[in-house]
Each structure stands twice: as C-alpha cells, then as structure tokens.
Amino acid sequence: MQQPHEPQEIPPGCPAHGNVQMYGPSFGADPESHYAQLRSFGLSAPVDIAPDVQAELVTSYDAALYVLQNPASFVRDSRRWNALNEGRVPADSPALPMMGYRPNALFSDGAAHARLRQAVTDSLATVNEHQLIRQTQQSANYLISQFSTDIRGQAELMAEYAQPLPLLVFSDLFGCPPEIGDRVIAGISGIFEGTPGADEVLGGALTELIALKRRRPAADLTTRLMGHPAQLSDEEVLHQLVTLLSGGTAPLAAAIGTSSALYLGEDWQVGLPVEDAVSQTLWNYAPIANYAAHYPTHDVELGGRVIRANDPVLISFAAANTDPKLTEHREQLSAKAHLAFGAGPHACPAKDPAFMIAVTAVEALLNRLPDVEMRVPFKALTWAPSPWSRSLVTLPIRFTPRAVPQAAESAGSNAGQMPQQQTAASSPSTAGPSRTNAGVAPQPKGGLFSRFLAWTRGE
C-alpha cells in the first residue's frame, strides 16, 4: 500500500501522545475537519476513540476495503485487545459497550462466524418485502398520528418519529407480544441512553420472548432463528437478536432523520426521489461513522505505519466514504459502493431491508404531511458528539395540523405513491390517540409497543 504523506501539523488531541480526540463537542460540531487532519497521517491515524482508549483509525477508502476484506490478517474477536487485557481500558469507558466482546456474529471469526451469520441471513431472507413495507408504513402512520394534530403544527422529528419507528418495526418482526415489546423497546432505548439496568431489562425481555416461541412458534424472525438448521442455543439466539436491535435501530433512526432533513433542506433539488436522499445520507453522513474494530493477527504495515498485533484498528466509514481520492470517479461508482453497510464477511446482512425501511419512512412522512418543512436550515442542525454514529440531535419541523386515519384504514394505503402527493391524511377522519387542541389526549396503558398495537386494532 502507498506510503503516507508527512503530517503538515499535529492535529489537536491528547497532549501526551498526539492522538486526535474523536469525541466531545468539538468533534461532533465538525467531524469533517477532524477527518481532513487525520488524512495528513496517511491511510490511517492514531486516535483517542474515548478517554484513555487508543486505536488506529482507517480513513482511506481503499485501506478500509483492504482491512474489511482480509479476515486472515484482521479479526473481530475483541478478547484479543491488548489494552483491555493489560488493564489499560477504564472499567467505565464508553468504548466498552461498543467494542467489548459479545458472543454474536459481529465479534466472531472463521467457522463460528459463518455459522451464526448464516442463521441470521437465512432468517432475514424469509422476511417478505411487501410485508416489511406495510409494517413500516403502519408504524409511520401511528407515530405521525401522535403529533400531526398538534395545534401548533410543530414536532421534533427525531424523538417523535425517526427514533421510535425502527423500534416498532423490529418489535413487530420479532413477533413480540405487547408487554414484551414494551420492555424490548425500553431496554434497547435505555442502552443507547446509558440508563442503568437497561441491559438486564432487554436481556430479560428477550429471554421471555425466546421461551414463548419455544412453546408457541410463529411466523416471525425469532422463530425462524430458533428453527434454523444451525441449531442455535437460546443464548445464541438472544445475542443475535441483540445484534439486530443494536445494529439496526439506532443507525436506521439516524438514516431516517438525516434523509428527511436532506430532502426538506434548502439545497435539495426538487424532483429527485427519496431514494437519492437516502443514498446521499449513506455516502456523506454514514449513520455508523467509526466502528468495526479489527485486531491484527500479527504486526502489520498499513501505508507505512506499523500496527502492533492485537491493537484495535477501527474503520472510519464516514471518512472512507468522503475520501478525496474518490472525488474524481465517484460518479462512475455504483450508488451502493459506499461503505455505510461495511464490506467483506462482516458486511451488514440487512442492508437491503434497512434501505427499504428508510425510504418508506421518509415517503410516509411526505405523503401524510404534504406541506411539511424544517423550521431551521439544514446547515444549522446539530449533530450528536459521538464518535460511533452520525445522527442529528433534533429535527424541528412544521406543518398544517391535520387528522390521520386509523391504522385499519391507512396501513399500506400509500404504497407506491410518490412524495408530496395529497392523501387521505389531509381529510378529516377518526384519529387514534393523539394531541388535541386542549393538550395531550389520554393514552392507553402500557408502553410504546402496547399503544401501537392498540391503535392498530382501533382500541
């Protein structure tokens, strides 16, 4: 691989060793400038991914592909992590939940990885495309019904739409009954919010779900995983479900939010389809920005930098996708050539369903609220200061208040429609539980998933 350029200047970072700091407000406000500085090191650079947690971050598109597609030299099992084994990673480090070993396909290699991944990919392959679109539309219609009658004609799209929507879809795909679905959503949401005990809540809910499916199998993703010829144990099923939840819901929420903001933004070219907004998000605002820790099986040289065996090498999907060396021929690349879903043996097994969910979610918003617009310019939006993801903190919108049809009438009603069309959403109807002119209407008992299921039944 090519030799790096000599750094023109040492980027701001840890004063002790010159690493670039990849967390905090400065990084969150302007990650692109950090990536530009990192490129001065060459194909990769030393970073602090969290306080007192060092890693090598790959910023080159070609070098990222090299690492991702070379499982003989770069493995995923983080039990090899030198600093962790030597006690140099703080016990309360925010990097541990992201990089610490879990018995799932993401952190496995070789035959163990192939077995777990095959079970996941085969199970996902049984998901009916049209059913997934209907599930997404129904979830979207429910969430829109909760804020679209607000007399102010305003909402915060991340918290009220983009973040809960994937949770509803996944709970439905997993075949959760109402009470278990509520706890799954509370658990996975709590993990991302840092809520104490959230791991236990999620684990307990999924354990009950698996026990339920042992007694009463059904046509859902959980049952298909359990019945796969790979014969996963209940513990293995649980960890694959956690992987699908953690690897699917937060990145999907980020993609839905950013794609909506791009489409509604001041620079969007009228007439371009929603698919273009989602593709642009995956290229320029990769929802999983820096992740996929690999551990060299031996000392390796990457663009002139020597990386010690078992020191973590992270992939900057965000920097690789915006690698200046792609500029000249990016137009000739496939629209799917971005690395937002990874590459190689650990590439996301659900990339096609994820793209479909994101497109459907944005289209549903535009169809149900034809005059929706952002309350601030795209360039004024703020981003979460996390090294791991690229997600909007808030997305304030405004629209003409309206009623939204009940689920039985509206689910799937806008399949195939183009955005900005007038739909039944703009005509009076009997709406489900939602905000009213006097405030917030009484909600059915239970959590988000219970309320959603009650709404679908017209209760």
Side-chain angles (χ1 to χ4, degrees), residues 133-134 136-138 140-141 144 161 360-369 409-419 421-425:
I133 290 175
R134 286 194 298 272
T136 304
Q137 288 173 336
Q138 194 172 50
N141 292 339
I144 293 169
Y161 188 70
T360 303
V362 179
E363 287 182 344
L365 174 73
L366 299 170
N367 283 321
R368 291 299 175 196
L369 302 175
E409 179 183 347
S410 65
S413 64
N414 48 347
Q417 291 183 6
M418 289 298 292
Q421 289 179 336
Q422 192 76 10
T423 70

Side-chain angles (χ1 to χ4, degrees), residues 275-288:
E275 286 86 350
D276 282 13
V278 177
S279 291
Q280 189 175 134
T281 292
L282 297 175
W283 271 107
N284 297 331
Y285 305 92
I288 300 177

Side-chain angles (χ1 to χ4, degrees), residues 126-267:
T126 65
V127 175
N128 181 276
E129 176 181 320
H130 299 293
Q131 178 188 2
L132 183 61
I133 290 175
R134 286 194 298 272
Q135 287 174 323
T136 304
Q137 288 173 336
Q138 194 172 50
S139 299
N141 292 339
Y142 167 70
L143 293 169
I144 293 169
S145 79
Q146 303 304 287
F147 64 75
S148 62
T149 55
D150 184 346
I151 191 171
R152 301 170 303 161
Q154 296 183 3
E156 200 292 281
L157 208 64
M158 291 303 297
E160 297 183 69
Y161 188 70
Q163 291 167 354
L165 191 151
L167 295 168
L168 290 176
V169 173
F170 274 72
S171 296
D172 209 4
L173 282 174
F174 286 2
C176 293
E179 192 272 338
I180 291 180
D182 288 342
R183 286 159 56 210
V184 166
I185 289 176
I188 194 66
S189 299
I191 287 173
F192 284 108
E193 294 164 4
T195 305
D199 267 320
E200 289 76 9
V201 171
L202 179 61
L206 291 177
T207 297
E208 287 186 30
L209 177 64
I210 292 167
L212 173 65
K213 299 304 175 182
R214 289 281 181 210
R215 297 192 305 270
R216 296 199 298 271
D220 54 58
L221 197 57
T222 307
T223 301
R224 290 170 190 136
L225 263 176
M226 295 169 65
H228 191 270
Q231 297 183 325
L232 273 59
S233 67
D234 286 358
E235 182 183 12
E236 288 176 326
V237 171
L238 185 150
H239 284 289
Q240 308 327 302
L241 292 177
V242 171
T243 303
L244 287 168
L245 277 169
S246 58
T249 54
L252 256 178
I256 292 168
T258 305
S259 300
S260 299
L262 279 173
Y263 195 94
L264 298 173
E266 59 275 15
D267 294 331

Side-chain angles (χ1 to χ4, degrees), residues 294-373:
H294 289 71
Y295 300 85
T297 56
H298 52 85
D299 291 359
V300 297
E301 183 179 332
L302 196 62
R305 291 181 57 81
V306 176
I307 304 169
R308 190 164 65 115
N310 298 325
D311 279 351
V313 177
L314 271 63
I315 306 298
S316 179
F317 300 107
N321 279 349
T322 56
D323 186 342
K325 293 184 179 178
L326 292 181
T327 303
E328 295 180 5
H329 59 280
R330 186 165 136 176
E331 294 299 325
Q332 283 72 50
L333 291 174
S334 163
K336 297 181 179 180
H338 59 77
L339 298 181
F341 293 123
H346 284 275
C348 175
K351 57 185 178 181
D352 291 335
F355 188 87
M356 189 184 308
I357 291 170
V359 170
T360 303
V362 179
E363 287 182 344
L365 174 73
L366 299 170
N367 283 321
R368 291 299 175 196
L369 302 175
D371 62 351
V372 64
E373 59 184 17

Side-chain angles (χ1 to χ4, degrees), residues 389-442:
S389 63
R390 182 69 162 152
S391 180
L392 291 168
V393 175
T394 60
L395 179 50
I397 58 168
R398 58 174 165 248
F399 48 86
T400 300
R402 65 196 72 233
V404 176
Q406 275 283 19
E409 179 183 347
S410 65
S413 64
N414 48 347
Q417 291 183 6
M418 289 298 292
Q420 307 294 356
Q421 289 179 336
Q422 192 76 10
T423 70
S426 57
S427 59
S429 68
T430 303
S434 60
R435 304 182 193 192
T436 66
N437 292 357
V440 179

Side-chain angles (χ1 to χ4, degrees), residues 53 79 151 229 277 452:
V53 180
R79 290 174 295 186
I151 191 171
F452 165 66

